[in-house]
């Protein structure tokens, strides 16, 4: 398969990017990139560049001065990245506008305006002045987004079931058609992969249980056209798990082992923790999820009591950066086992996490126990009210 062009000759940019508030000088790898913008209405506002492969905590920050901004750096492999407003990272309220760009070793020049809606800042009326691959993304993305028209999600499970039966199939067919039309050229693999991740992570429209064999075959064929030079990037890792799970549509969830770091940076293996307890709750959460944070705060005083009864809790955080996780953990005074997976870990795909918070209960034999609960008191009551016969079936 034709490899993406990603030149190895580095351009040293000592004279540029000198307005960055956070100096980021990664070791020379792969190729350099430059992003230059002309921005109306944003004077003095700070922008951040978040590259998933480099973690949110290592984002670059710059200020719009005289209607212009600039980012630069280097990457080992082509990757998508997001321009955001730094103010929104600081607020950490779970709402953020993102402007996607693709870093492939060239210079990106764009023009846009700053707008404010619902207390959030946006880049709109944008034009890509330079960078062929970003011009392609800009030209095709509107059609891709339009294909989502009508894709609504309801709190009511009955309404959602009706959407799955009567509405989603047509939208899914439309999205697959648009993808096939615009996103199968290997020369644009970095763009194609980002769009394919968007599809496969949509656990409402693209729930493997609802996909026909033809649709599964189409998705697999799309992935096979992705340039293997992107292997190892966050998007490739996430999509590869989704492809592997397309035919794993069983109703019963299975325990899958992972090793994740704790607040002290020590690696913790899930199985090693689980086998020490009668039951263990895997609690998937992130800082901007209000119900997640409510659970943390409301149950911190109950933890010691349920721990004494043989129930452990493992918080698994999927924030984009460790600092978000650490800050939220301190604010919530989390007392149970608290681990960081990040936004691009394979764990979300393996456990088919579609919403937050999601809590999965596992017994010491690594069997997933189906039990609904709102707080730890209710969990304890339900788990220890099982009859001997029920326990045998677990």
């Amino acid at each position: 398969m034709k490899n993406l062009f990603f030149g190895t000759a580095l351009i040293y940019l000592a004279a540029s990017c000198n307005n960055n508030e956070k100096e980021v000088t990664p070791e020379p790898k792969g190729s350099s990139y430059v992003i230059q913008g002309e921005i109306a209405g944003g004077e003095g506002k700070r922008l951040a560049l978040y590259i998933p492969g480099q973690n949110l905590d290592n984002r670059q920050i710059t200020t719009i001065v005289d209607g212009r901004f600039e980012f630069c750096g280097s990457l080992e492999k082509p990757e998508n990245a997001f321009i955001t407003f730094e103010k929104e990272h600081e607020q950490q309220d779970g709402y953020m506008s993102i402007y996607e760009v693709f870093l492939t070793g060239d210079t990106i020049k764009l023009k846009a305006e700053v707008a404010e809606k619902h207390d959030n800042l946006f880049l709109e009326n944008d034009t890509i002045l330079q960078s062929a691959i970003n011009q392609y993304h800009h030209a095709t993305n509107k059609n891709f987004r339009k294909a989502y028209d009508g894709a609504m999600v309801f709190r009511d499970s009955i309404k959602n079931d009706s959407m799955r039966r009567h509405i989603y199939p047509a939208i899914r067919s439309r999205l697959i058609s648009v993808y096939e039309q615009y996103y199968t050229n290997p020369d644009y693999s970095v763009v194609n992969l980002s769009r394919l991740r968007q599809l496969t992570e949509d656990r409402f429209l693209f729930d493997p249980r609802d996909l026909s064999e033809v649709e599964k075959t189409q998705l697999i064929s799309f992935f096979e056209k992705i340039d293997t030079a992107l292997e190892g990037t966050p998007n490739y890792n996430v999509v590869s798990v989704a492809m592997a799970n397309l035919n794993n549509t069983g109703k019963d969830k299975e325990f899958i082992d992972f090793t994740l770091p704790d607040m002290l940076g020590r690696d913790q293996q899930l199985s090693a923790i689980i086998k020490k307890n009668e039951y263990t709750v895997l609690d998937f959460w992130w800082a901007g999820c209000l119900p997640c944070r409510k659970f943390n705060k409301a149950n911190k005083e109950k933890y010691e009591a349920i721990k004494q009864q043989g129930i452990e809790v493992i918080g698994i955080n999927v924030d984009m950066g460790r600092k978000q996780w650490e800050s939220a953990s301190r604010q919530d005074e989390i007392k149970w086992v608290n681990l960081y997976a990040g936004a691009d870990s394979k764990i979300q795909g393996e456990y088919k996490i579609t919403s937050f918070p999601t809590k999965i209960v596992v017994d010491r034999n690594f069997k997933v126990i189906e039990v609904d609960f709102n707080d730890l008191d209710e969990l304890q009551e339900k788990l220890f009210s099982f009859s001997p016969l029920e326990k045998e079936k677990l």
Side-chain angles (χ1 to χ4, degrees):
M1 182 176 289
K2 181 179 177 182
N3 284 335
L4 287 169
F5 175 75
F6 198 64
T8 57
L10 289 177
I11 303 172
Y12 291 95
L13 303 163
S16 63
C17 291
N18 56 12
N19 65 332
N20 280 1
E21 297 179 17
K22 182 175 180 178
E23 290 296 329
V24 178
T25 54
E27 295 180 7
K29 293 180 180 179
S31 187
S32 60
Y33 62 83
V34 180
I35 306 172
Q36 298 173 337
E38 300 176 25
I39 303 296
E43 192 68 19
K45 297 192 184 311
R46 293 188 301 158
L47 296 175
L49 179 68
Y50 162 51
I51 303 172
Q54 295 184 356
N55 195 278
L56 180 68
D57 300 335
N58 297 319
R59 66 188 181 275
Q60 294 184 48
I61 304 169
T62 193
T63 303
I64 300 172
V65 177
D66 296 329
R68 297 178 182 274
F69 75 88
E70 186 172 86
F71 291 111
C72 66
S74 63
L75 282 176
E76 186 174 357
K77 295 183 178 184
E79 193 174 336
N80 65 329
F82 305 99
I83 298 173
T84 60
F85 286 89
E86 178 61 17
K87 177 183 176 182
E88 295 178 344
H89 289 290
E90 294 170 348
Q91 291 175 335
Q92 294 185 7
D93 60 359
Y95 299 95
M96 182 179 299
S97 64
I98 59 174
Y99 187 89
E100 188 175 26
V101 292
F102 294 87
L103 308 179
T104 59
D106 61 357
T107 295
I108 303 168
K109 294 185 178 181
L110 63 92
K111 190 174 183 178
E113 299 174 2
V114 174
E116 185 169 356
K117 302 174 185 176
H118 310 297
D119 296 325
N120 284 84
L121 297 171
F122 296 82
L123 291 178
E124 61 177 26
N125 297 325
D126 55 307
T127 303
I128 302 296
L129 304 174
Q130 181 177 316
S131 173
I133 199 162
N134 283 282
Q135 287 173 335
Y136 183 80
H137 161 62
H138 193 268
T140 58
N141 194 44
K142 290 180 181 177
N143 291 320
F144 185 74
R145 289 166 58 188
K146 185 173 176 56
Y148 270 96
D149 285 354
M152 300 176 66
V153 177
F154 297 93
R155 290 179 180 270
D156 188 324
S157 61
I158 295 177
K159 289 182 179 179
N160 276 332
D161 286 343
S162 179
M163 292 289 289
R164 287 173 61 183
R165 288 195 303 270
H166 305 297
I167 306 298
Y168 288 169
I171 298 173
R172 187 163 57 242
S173 176
R174 193 164 64 226
L175 281 163
I176 289 174
S177 177
V178 169
Y179 188 99
E180 196 163 29
Q181 181 178 357
Y182 294 112
Y183 299 113
T184 55
N185 185 337
D187 290 340
Y188 298 113
S189 274
V190 67
V191 179
N192 305 345
L193 183 59
S194 180
R195 298 288 73 81
L196 188 56
R197 176 175 177 174
Q198 189 172 337
L199 295 183
T200 55
E201 281 196 320
D202 189 330
R203 302 293 296 184
F204 292 95
L205 277 167
F206 284 84
D207 187 324
R209 294 172 298 178
D210 297 334
L211 299 179
S212 68
E213 291 305 313
V214 171
E215 289 170 332
K216 291 177 184 178
T217 300
Q218 288 174 305
L219 292 175
I220 291 170
S221 72
F222 295 157
F223 185 57
E224 289 173 344
K225 290 183 174 69
I226 298 296
D227 196 317
T228 55
L230 297 178
E231 189 171 354
T233 62
N235 282 346
Y236 196 98
N237 290 341
V238 171
V239 175
S240 65
V241 171
M243 293 297 108
N245 284 332
L246 276 180
N247 292 313
N248 183 16
T249 58
K251 223 175 168 186
D252 294 335
K253 291 181 179 168
E254 295 182 358
F255 171 74
I256 303 165
D257 205 7
F258 279 84
T259 298
L260 303 169
D262 63 16
M263 292 282 281
L264 297 177
R266 302 171 302 191
D267 285 343
Q268 303 284 353
Q269 189 175 18
L270 298 184
S271 59
I273 301 170
I274 288 170
K275 66 184 180 182
K276 296 178 182 178
N277 302 282
E278 192 75 21
Y279 300 102
T280 301
V281 180
L282 304 182
D283 175 25
F284 291 85
W285 71 287
W286 61 290
C289 166
L290 296 182
C292 303
R293 304 293 298 278
K294 182 179 179 182
F295 179 86
N296 292 346
K297 295 170 184 176
N299 289 278
K300 61 185 179 183
E301 302 302 333
K302 302 173 183 178
Y303 170 64
E304 290 302 331
I306 66 127
K307 174 70 174 172
Q308 294 298 319
Q309 296 296 316
I311 301 175
E312 182 59 274
V313 180
I314 303 177
I316 300 175
N317 180 274
V318 296
D319 275 306
M320 292 185 290
R322 288 180 61 100
K323 290 181 181 178
Q324 287 179 319
W325 163 56
E326 291 169 354
S327 175
S329 297
R330 285 192 297 269
Q331 291 172 20
D332 297 353
E333 300 178 326
I334 293 175
K335 298 182 178 180
W336 46 77
V337 180
N338 187 16
L339 307 180
Y340 179 69
D344 299 299
S345 169
K346 294 181 179 181
I347 194 169
Q348 291 188 68
E350 292 285 15
Y351 278 98
K352 303 177 179 62
I353 305 302
T354 61
S355 61
F356 297 91
T358 290
K359 296 175 177 61
I360 299 171
V361 181
V362 184
D363 70 12
R364 66 166 68 248
N365 298 314
F366 308 111
K367 181 166 183 175
V368 174
I369 307 299
E370 294 293 338
V371 55
D372 293 324
F373 64 96
N374 294 311
D375 59 31
L376 294 181
D377 285 340
E378 183 181 2
L379 172 65
Q380 181 181 8
E381 181 181 344
K382 287 187 174 182
L383 287 177
F384 291 104
S385 66
F386 288 137
S387 68
L389 183 59
E390 288 174 320
K391 286 186 176 182
E392 287 181 10
K393 294 179 179 179
L394 293 179

